[in-house]
Structures are given as C-alpha cells and as structure tokens.
Amino acid sequence: MKLPDYDPQRIEAKWQRIWEERGAFHASDGDRSREKYYVLEMLPYPSGTLHMGHMRNYTIGDAVARYKQMRGYNVLHPMGWDAFGLPAENAAIKNGTHPRDWTNANILEFRRVLKRFGFSYDWRREISTCDPDYYKWNQWLFLRMLEKGIAFRKKSKVNWCPDCVTVLANEQVIDGFCWRHETTQVEIRELEQWFLRITAYSDRLLEDMAQLEAGWPERVLVMQRNWIGKSKGALVKFDVARMEGLALEVFTTRIDTIYGASAILLSAEHPKLKALLEQVPGNSGMAAQLKAMGQKSMRAADIATAEKEGFFTGRFAVNPFSGDHVPIWVANFVLAEYGTGAVMCVPAHDQRDYEFAGKYRLPVKIVVERATGAPLRADRMEEAFTEHGRLVQSGPYTGLTSAEALEKMAADAQSKGFGEAQTTYRLKDWGISRQRYWGTPIPVVYCQKDGIVPVPDNQLPVRLPENVTITGQGQSPLASVPEFVNTNCPKCGGHARRETDTMDTFVDSSWYFYRYADPHNDAAPFDKEKVRYWFPIDQYVGGITHAILHLLYSRFFCKVMRDLGLVDHDEPIARLFTQGMVQKGGVAMSKSRGNVVGAIEMADKYGCDTGRMYTLFAAPPGKDLEWSEQAIEGSSRFLNRVYRLVEKHAPRLHGVAIDLNSQTDLSKCTPKEKILVRKTHQALKRVTNDFEVRWHFNTSVAVIMELVKELQTQEPLDRDVSPVILKRVLTVLALMLAPMTPHVAEELGEMLALAGGIGRGRWPVYREDLTREEQIEVIIQINGRLRGKILVEENLGEDETLDRALKDPRISVLIDGKTVAKTVVVVKKLVNIVLR
RNA sequence: GCCCAAGUGGCGGAAUUGGCAGACGCGCUAGCUUCAGGAGCUAGUUCUCGCAAGGGAGUGGAGGUUCGAGUCCUCUCUUGGGCACCA
C-alpha cells in the first residue's frame, strides 16, 4: 500500500494560522524568568521580488530563533523594512507613481512572502523606516548629535554620482565608481554638507573590536580595521628657505629615515602651493602642469596605476634635523586628503619615493642599514629598503634602532618646537546629506538673522511633503516645494528656509534594531530598560556586503548613543554571522541578470519547508550556494519519506505514553531497539552541537537523513520494537526537524499526539553520562609500554570493527584485560592517549 | 604588491581533538513496478588492474613530523575575497 505524499500547501497554511492564533512568536519584554535571546536578520530593502538569496538569510535566522525557543529562551526575532531610498524615486520617475505608494506596495508583497514562509517573527514589532513614527527619531537623534557637535556642516569636496544625482559617502565609492552604478565614475564637487563626526570615534571603534573577536568573523574585523586605517607617526615642520614665516608640515610614519630625505613632495591641491609659487620665475608653466595634475587626481579610479609625475617648484625647504636644503616638488601621487597633503621623499627607504627619485634623478641616501648581511649600496639597489633596521648617517641618532629612533626623534622634534608625534586615520567623517526626496528630512532651518536653527523637538517629525515633482534633474526635489521650504524661524519667528537635503538611508539602518525593543514608543526612540533587557543582539545574520558600511555605522551610532546616555553597552552586536550568497549559473541572483528563483514560485511548487531544507542542506551556511532545480527534489523526496514513515506508524502509537525526560534502559532493549535508541541519541547530539557551536546545518540535515534511513532498514518496525521506543524515536525526529522544517515537524508532532505541539522548551536532551556497565576499559601499549588507559563507551555494532593500527606489532590494545579487535570508537580514543 | 580564506569523486559537500577518506544528497547504471512517462522501491557508483576473489593508487604539488596525516610543520602552485600610491 502506497501512502499519499504530504500536502505542503495545506499543512503550511494550517500551521501558520495556528501559530498566529497562539501568538507563538511574541517576545515578552523584560521577562526575568527566562534567559533572553535576540536574533536578527538584516532588514531588507523592499524592492523587486524576494528570491531564494533573501530566503536563505531568513531561513538561517529562523532556524536559530526556533531552536533557541525550543531551548526555552525568551526569543526576540523581529522584521522590518529599510524603506527609504533611491529606487523608489527612480520608479517614480519611470512610472509616475509616488515613492510612498511604490514602497508600500513592495512592503505588502514582501510581508506576504515572508508570512508565506512561516518565519517566526514577532510581527507586532514590525517597523518601516519611511514611517514618520520612525524617522521622527532619526531627526531626534540628529538633533542630539547637533547639540554635541557630532553633526556639523561644512563645505567640502564630496563624491557626486551623476546617475544617482546625489552625493555619496566615502564608503559608497568603490575604486572611484558608484556603489550602485558600477560603471559610473564618481565626480568630485564642492558643496555645503552635513557630516557626522565618526572620526571622533576612530579609536573607540578600533579598541572595542576586542569585544567582538569571539563573535565576529575575523575578516569583517580586518576590513573595518583597514578602513579606519590608523597609523602612528610624526608631524615635522620644514621651513621654506628664503620665505619668512612659510613652513610646510609633513606627516611621516618613518621619522627615523628623515636624514635620507631628498625632497619635499606636495599634492597638487596643497593650500600653500599658491603662496609658494609666487615670484618664482616660470611659474606660469607650472600653473598649467598643476591644472593638468589636479584634473587627473579627481579621477580616483586610475590613481593607483598612474605613472609618477611631478615638477620642481623652484623653492627649497630646510630639514630641521640635518639643516639640509631639499627641493620642494609637486607630485601626483601625494594624496591631498590624507595626512597634511605633504610628505618627505626618502628614496632609499620608500618604494614610491624610490621610483620618483629614479625618474627625476633625486639622490638616494641610505640612512637605515639592515641588521644582518652585506651593507646596502645606493648604486646597487633595485628597490627601496623599507624595513626597520639600524640608523646610519643620521647625525646624533646614528646607531639607534629604527624603533628607538622613531620615539626619540619625535620627542626631540616636539621639545625643539618643529614637530610632534601624531596619529592619523584613513577614516573620514560621514557625509549624510543627500539631494533626494525619499529620505528623512534633516531637521534644521536657515534663518537670515539666526543662521542655522535646529527644529525644536516638539515640532518633530519634520514630515516629507506629499506633492513633490521628482525629475531626477539634480538639486533636492524638496527645494521645489514652497510650502515645505518656507517656514518661520523657531527662534525669532521671522522668515526662514528649511534644509532641503535628506539623510543618507544608512542613518535609518544604523539604529533600527533598538526600535524593535520598543517599536511603538512615541515619547522616546525606545525605553532604556527594554533595551537594557534585550541588548546586545545575541546573533545577527546577514551578508558580507555590509562588512563596512552598515556594520561600522551601527557601531558608531551605538557609541554616540552611549555618550548620550541612551544605552549602556559599548557594542550593539555580540555575534555576527555572514552567510554566503545564493547563486544561479555561478553568479549572485539578481533581477538584472535574470537568474532569480522567486520565493513564492518555489514555495508553490515544493512548499516552503522543502526550500528551507534545501538551502540549509546544500552547503554550509557561510559558503556560497549554487541553486539546483534538480537537487531540491532530493529534499522534497526526503520530507515525503519522513511524512509517510510517521503516518504509517502513528496509528499504532496512539495512546502510548512517553516521557522524553526519562532514560531508556538499554539493557532491557532488543538489539533492534538498541540500535534505534543509540542512533537517535547520536543524531540528537550532533544536531544539538551543530546549532550550539558549529553552525553547519547541512550536517544536521544529513544526520537526520541517516536516522530516517536507519529506521527504514530496520523495518518492519512493528516487530521487535516496542511502541514506547518507536514513539520516542519518531518524536525526537520530529523535534529535531522543527527548527528547519517547522510545518512538517508540527504535522508529525500532531500525528504522534505530541501534547502542546512543538514550542518553547521542547528540545530533547541527549545523554552525556554513561554507567560503568555501558563502558569498557581500554589499555593501549606501544612497544610493550603502557601508554594509556581509558574508559570508553561500549561499542554498538561488533561489525564496525577493525583496522590497521592493530596490525602494527608495536601497538597492542587491551579491552577489559584482553587483546581484542577494536572498534572505531576505541581507535579514536587511542590517539588522544598516545599523544598525551 | 600586501593581507585573509579555500583547494577532497561527474557535481554540492562529509570526515568535532591526527585514527575505516568520500557520510548525506544530486547525477549516473542495473533490476522491480508501470500501457507509457513520471514517481516509488532494491542494488551499485573515487580511480585503476582483474571474469572473479583480490591487488595497486588516491584529498592541488614537493618535502617533513608520527605507529598512523585531508587534518600538524616547511616550501610551492592555483582559485576566490579584501586592501592598495594612506608616506
């Protein structure tokens, strides 16, 4: 008799309804009776269609959330929408829809899909960043930062994407191209912008990484560390010869090489260049060269590969250490934005300087000698010697090691008044002004009399006006809405103009996870006590693409909020997991590539549990996964097999009482039962371990598959297997499946009459301790010498025996006093002993 | 150039501390079932020699440590990722 397959559509709808009615995933704030667990997936930008790449992220988070719930935790597992952003405006231009309508329609669809998958979200806490109840608190936080001087306005060179028609943060520029428009070169423009002073937090962002080392992927920390780019060095002042009062400041990390300086190099945009070139004969030619160079330096993309070029300014600078006069050059490879925009050129000990000196015949003077080996010779060098060593030809510092010199020379420079030790960072302040409509309005007004005036808290939120024409023609769309722009100054009551730029949407996502703790608070961004209860986030799950942007900004916001007294922790996220992408045809799924596997289509065809199982099974969660229409059939077949197996045996098990907390007495078991009990416990142990420490859910699935296979091999299960044992085994099987394929698991639980269903506190516990009777004593000898003695678990199948180590005459193994055949278990333990 | 990760069957991938390499799944082969297709079930499936029993080789490559290495050490090659005139 062939049993019918399970009907995923029916049971998925059924259990989703039941969960909803029970409020099964409602987190309770401040519950002290249970340990809390906050698991979060990165909130999606609602655009396009949800595909299996998204679903993988949510499936991993959901499996962890459900597992932790089954372990008895008070789990917070929320979902929301990163709803502001450019695509809404582009759609508005293209289709004539309002960005709000377009976004809301997308949210509706996204919510429908996520509900269709039955993820265990507490939907009461759903947030949307374009909701005035949410962005009000963006504005509120901005005003607090304004008060503290963290938010400030300055005119500066900014990255401008002609396709986005807006400014980009440094973090949004990749090799000179826009992060959204991979083929659009970013232009440099000079604009008045709002900035957040993230640089004030450079050191704390670095130092607090120590707290993240246990829970964050190493490479994310490395990327952030590189991005902050801290370097310790010194500032040294070179006077310009024959120009009273004019001096050039140089930043160097290698002050120990200063006696080898052959020149001073300035960037083409150096502020003192103009003064320097006055009265120099032939400076008109230089102006032309400068202009050419300046234009080139705007094209950040090809700087790294460009040929080194420069010209002599006609001026000299005085090395304050040696008194040498060195020529001042302008060089194209000197970065204006880093350090002071001026560097010393030490050809012998810096590769770039070496190349530059070679081209323009500047002298190469060796001032650091390597510790061992033949002395360096300037005429024999093929590249610069950039390592530390011992100083030569360096006046009073000759003979010191580089390390000693670095310290002493910086200190001397300070005491003699021509320099000081200094640390510089690659990190720059975060420009948040965007000349776009669909974002949070920046809550300030400009008054002729009072200047920049913050909007008072009681006038928040500054709402986005509804009737706006979005043309995509540059300048903020809000500027063309007189009702919005024209307002009264909160201070003097006179006429004032509102700020028409909106905030970078990364502001929205830098603190959203706090709002989940208290999503409907209208008096504050959140209640401090609730946040204290839930934070830090125990597990954050998302893509590696946010390694710098979102995650660095979030850490920054946390620290600012801590300084504002809003939170009392240093870091918002205790553990981070970066899952791999889902690919089709070797590339990430994306609408533009046309290789997406739609989540709804997949669920309609196979059921969402099959999709969940496949994404967990096909690869470990950290690796990229190639979607295979063929391979997913395997997951589908497996779920059908389990379903039919339980369906077949369940009727016989009705009314059989089991107690999962009691231990089975193996000595009273039939051999068949013994095997089943053992296999079940082994599987449980492995799955538990996968969830607790390993995060290899593919092996969890494999191990459950093995158990099912074993059950099938042991058929007929109504012979030599008591109903109690069988029911226990099948129940544990259903419980193990629950985090991964929750609907199927619930259905199995119902068939087995599992009282109360699958929920909080239901995760079964495997046995750790064995009685003496279940163990055997193993003695290992090598060359007749005792190497160890250990008690091991009695081996299960005698057929699993034997092996090579035994054939080695030097090794003998005694089990319970006799030299015998060994099992795998024994051999494994043996190794440990031998090594000890 | 610098830093990080990874190289295992036809494919995705197992192998928790060094101890049966290839679990589990896909695909493929044969058989049963079926009018047929599909689905299901059974058996097989690292390569190689052999009708067979059985033998040999094998975790990118070369050395090393060890009774024993996919795993540890040294060197090397390849692929992926990050950073890249940051002085």
Side-chain angles (χ1 to χ4, degrees), chain A residues 108-174:
Chain A
L108 218 61
E109 174 62 9
F110 268 46
R111 192 190 295 119
R112 181 178 81 93
V113 177
L114 295 186
K115 290 201 167 181
R116 172 71 184 77
F117 270 68
F119 293 124
S120 62
Y121 298 126
D122 184 350
W123 285 106
R124 300 172 308 168
R125 295 170 188 262
E126 177 182 351
I127 59 164
S128 173
T129 59
C130 68
D131 187 340
D133 291 340
Y134 182 84
Y135 70 69
K136 172 182 177 180
W137 300 110
N138 273 352
Q139 295 173 340
W140 187 89
L141 285 165
F142 176 87
L143 292 174
R144 300 292 83 76
M145 292 192 204
L146 190 60
E147 288 162 6
K148 292 268 180 187
I150 294 164
F152 66 101
R153 193 165 164 81
K154 72 169 177 187
K155 191 165 194 176
S156 78
K157 289 203 174 113
V158 292
N159 307 295
W160 176 272
C161 173
D163 280 357
C164 295
V165 205
T166 190
V167 161
L168 302 176
N170 292 314
E171 287 82 348
Q172 291 163 335
V173 180
I174 300 154

Side-chain angles (χ1 to χ4, degrees), chain A residues 295-452:
Chain A
Q295 262 159 13
K296 256 189 203 159
S297 72
M298 280 183 188
R299 318 211 0 168
D302 14 72
I303 277 187
T305 49
E307 172 86 1
K308 291 188 173 39
E309 278 171 30
F311 62 87
F312 175 45
T313 60
R315 295 284 178 187
F316 289 83
V318 184
N319 185 331
F321 280 91
S322 64
D324 289 350
H325 280 51
V326 293
I328 301 170
W329 286 61
V330 173
N332 65 342
F333 63 94
V334 178
L335 300 173
E337 323 83 59
Y338 183 80
T340 59
V343 299
M344 59 185 198
C345 175
V346 186
H349 305 293
D350 183 283
Q351 189 56 27
R352 293 155 300 183
D353 296 345
Y354 183 82
E355 288 164 24
F356 189 74
K359 181 164 176 182
Y360 294 106
R361 296 168 189 277
L362 295 167
V364 178
K365 186 183 171 195
I366 292 161
V367 293
V368 176
E369 196 53 80
R370 56 185 165 208
T372 56
L376 298 164
R377 283 184 52 175
D379 54 343
R380 293 267 179 87
M381 283 173 103
E382 277 168 15
E383 55 180 19
F385 174 70
T386 56
E387 289 159 45
H388 281 196
R390 199 168 280 280
L391 271 64
V392 294
Q393 310 247 7
S394 296
Y397 305 98
T398 301
L400 295 182
T401 64
S402 289
E404 290 160 355
L406 284 169
E407 207 163 299
K408 187 156 196 320
M409 292 172 89
D412 287 357
Q414 178 147 23
S415 64
K416 290 176 187 165
F418 54 77
E420 60 184 333
Q422 208 198 37
T423 304
T424 53
Y425 301 87
R426 186 178 172 277
L427 184 69
K428 281 179 231 137
D429 283 322
W430 175 15
I432 58 158
S433 295
R434 295 292 180 275
Q435 293 70 45
R436 306 299 314 191
Y437 165 68
W438 195 233
T440 303
I442 295 172
V444 296
V445 303
Y446 301 99
C447 170
Q448 287 240 315
K449 189 161 147 275
D450 296 311
I452 297 172

Side-chain angles (χ1 to χ4, degrees), chain A residues 251 323 369 591 648 772:
Chain A
F251 176 73
E369 196 53 80
K591 206 177 170 185
K648 178 176 161 190
R772 177 65 185 92

Side-chain angles (χ1 to χ4, degrees), chain A residues 158-225:
Chain A
V158 292
N159 307 295
W160 176 272
C161 173
D163 280 357
C164 295
V165 205
T166 190
V167 161
L168 302 176
N170 292 314
E171 287 82 348
Q172 291 163 335
V173 180
I174 300 154
D175 290 340
F177 290 88
C178 173
W179 68 306
R180 302 196 79 100
H181 302 94
E182 289 169 22
T183 54
T184 306
Q185 279 212 346
V186 171
E187 297 168 9
I188 307 293
R189 291 196 179 182
E190 186 139 293
L191 287 173
E192 277 259 309
Q193 299 284 306
W194 284 101
F195 286 85
L196 299 185
R197 208 180 297 277
I198 191 172
T199 53
Y201 288 81
S202 304
D203 275 325
R204 278 168 67 187
L205 286 166
L206 278 174
E207 285 159 17
D208 290 347
M209 278 186 207
Q211 299 177 33
L212 305 178
E213 258 151 31
W216 283 43
E218 175 64 23
R219 60 179 179 147
V220 173
L221 296 178
V222 168
M223 282 162 76
Q224 292 206 357
R225 208 169 278 130

Side-chain angles (χ1 to χ4, degrees), chain A residues 806-818:
Chain A
L806 237 196
K807 289 176 192 146
D808 188 323
R810 285 166 296 191
I811 302 177
S812 54
V813 177
L814 291 85
I815 294 175
D816 280 348
K818 288 181 288 186

Side-chain angles (χ1 to χ4, degrees), chain A residues 442-732:
Chain A
I442 295 172
V444 296
V445 303
Y446 301 99
C447 170
Q448 287 240 315
K449 189 161 147 275
D450 296 311
I452 297 172
V453 182
V455 174
D457 285 0
N458 61 18
Q459 288 178 27
L460 296 183
V462 175
R463 283 174 186 270
L464 274 177
E466 293 288 320
N467 298 315
V468 179
T469 319
I470 297 159
T471 59
Q473 299 303 307
Q475 91 143 242
S476 176
L478 292 179
S480 62
V481 185
E483 312 87 274
F484 177 81
V485 176
N486 297 315
T487 186
N488 295 324
C489 170
K491 253 191 201 162
C492 68
H495 178 254
R497 293 176 59 84
R498 280 192 195 280
E499 167 68 63
T500 56
D501 285 351
T502 54
M503 294 183 200
D504 183 358
T505 57
F506 275 99
V507 172
D508 311 346
S509 56
S510 292
W511 68 279
Y512 75 102
F513 33 76
Y514 289 111
R515 187 71 180 167
Y516 286 134
D518 192 13
H520 308 296
N521 195 328
D522 56 9
F526 48 77
D527 176 76
K528 205 175 162 181
E529 279 309 311
K530 287 179 179 169
V531 161
R532 181 175 292 151
Y533 175 78
W534 287 114
F535 274 75
I537 295 166
D538 294 278
Q539 185 67 59
Y540 200 23
V541 186
I544 185 78
T545 44
H546 295 101
I548 297 174
L549 287 171
H550 165 56
L551 291 167
L552 190 65
Y553 292 153
S554 293
R555 296 182 57 223
F556 162 59
F557 257 67
C558 171
K559 291 172 199 312
V560 171
M561 289 162 92
R562 170 159 204 163
D563 290 349
L564 291 169
L566 296 171
V567 302
D568 52 13
H569 49 265
D570 296 322
E571 290 288 338
I573 301 155
R575 294 181 61 83
L576 170 71
F577 186 84
T578 50
Q579 99 276 359
M581 285 182 308
V582 177
Q583 306 182 327
K584 186 107 190 270
V587 287
M589 283 186 186
S590 81
K591 206 177 170 185
S592 58
R593 290 199 188 91
N595 65 342
V596 295
V597 176
I600 285 286
E601 288 77 4
M602 198 288 313
D604 285 347
K605 193 167 173 192
Y606 298 102
C608 72
D609 278 350
T610 300
R612 284 166 172 248
M613 167 154 280
Y614 176 70
T615 52
L616 291 172
F617 177 59
K623 276 184 84 165
D624 288 346
L625 179 159
E626 175 70 23
W627 187 264
S628 157
E629 240 359 88
Q630 249 178 358
I632 194 174
E633 299 275 357
S635 299
S636 182
R637 278 200 284 267
F638 171 71
L639 288 179
N640 278 323
R641 263 207 306 277
V642 179
Y643 185 88
R644 286 195 302 261
L645 180 79
V646 175
E647 193 178 35
K648 178 176 161 190
H649 294 287
R652 189 165 68 91
L653 307 176
H654 272 200
V656 175
I658 56 161
D659 175 11
L660 285 178
N661 295 320
S662 73
Q663 287 204 357
T664 306
D665 186 352
L666 281 178
S667 64
K668 289 179 186 152
C669 284
T670 65
K672 208 191 238 184
E673 287 175 341
K674 220 167 168 177
I675 290 169
L676 290 180
V677 171
R678 282 297 178 97
K679 291 271 178 189
T680 306
H681 274 272
Q682 283 165 3
L684 182 57
K685 186 171 182 175
R686 289 185 60 182
V687 173
T688 304
N689 189 44
D690 283 345
F691 272 91
E692 291 288 340
V693 308
R694 274 186 6 136
W695 278 60
H696 278 202
F697 307 122
N698 53 329
T699 55
S700 304
V701 175
V703 112
I704 295 170
M705 285 174 167
E706 277 182 77
L707 179 61
V708 170
K709 215 179 198 182
E710 187 63 43
L711 280 159
Q712 291 184 316
T713 356
Q714 297 298 335
E715 289 276 14
L717 288 169
D718 48 7
R719 204 174 306 151
D720 298 328
V721 180
S722 76
V724 174
I725 298 280
L726 184 59
K727 188 162 182 177
R728 280 180 75 117
V729 170
L730 294 180
T731 303
V732 171

